[in-house]
Amino acid sequence: MDLFARLAVTDLPRAVAWGAKLFGNVEAFAPNDVEHVWTLGDHVHVYAELLPQHAGHCAVTLFLDDAADFLAAAADRGLLPDSQEVYDNGVRKAIFLDPDGNEVGIGGAAA
């Protein structure tokens, strides 16, 4: 099984640039003129698709073993979370909003 999580966007080049800041140097490819795919792990992909009518209505959460390292690397690339949460059980979640308002959450277990 492969997982593809979609972010509907209004401007594909802008979304690709934003995704590069968030995801960093990961395998990526453009299967056609309206999609761009980032491969984040074995069989795990997030992709931007040019779908203006649906842009800003997507939410994706990635739960990582190394969330703190991921957040530090994104900050080094100039991207900081729009908000952060800590749940009662100690789980942390950083929320990034792309230029269209789609939410990409980065979660990690309690320290």
Side-chain angles (χ1 to χ4, degrees):
M1 178 185 306
D2 282 17
L3 172 67
F4 286 85
R6 181 182 75 199
L7 301 172
V9 301
T10 59
D11 182 322
L12 191 59
R14 180 178 69 176
V16 170
W18 183 86
K21 285 184 177 181
L22 181 63
F23 301 125
N25 187 23
V26 299
E27 181 181 335
F29 62 96
N32 53 54
D33 291 344
V34 297
E35 295 176 312
H36 185 87
V37 181
W38 296 274
T39 300
L40 305 180
D42 290 339
H43 309 286
V44 178
H45 315 273
V46 172
Y47 70 103
E49 183 174 5
L50 187 60
L51 288 171
Q53 68 274 26
H54 297 294
H57 300 284
C58 301
V60 173
T61 299
L62 306 170
F63 199 84
L64 307 174
D65 291 335
D66 59 352
D69 290 344
F70 182 99
L71 295 174
D76 287 345
R77 293 186 293 271
L79 196 59
L80 298 173
D82 291 276
S83 65
Q84 295 190 53
E85 304 171 348
V86 179
Y87 299 110
D88 291 339
N89 63 359
V91 169
R92 298 178 178 275
K93 181 179 178 185
I95 298 170
F96 294 87
L97 299 176
D98 77 0
D100 286 304
N102 294 306
E103 177 184 304
V104 177
I106 303 298

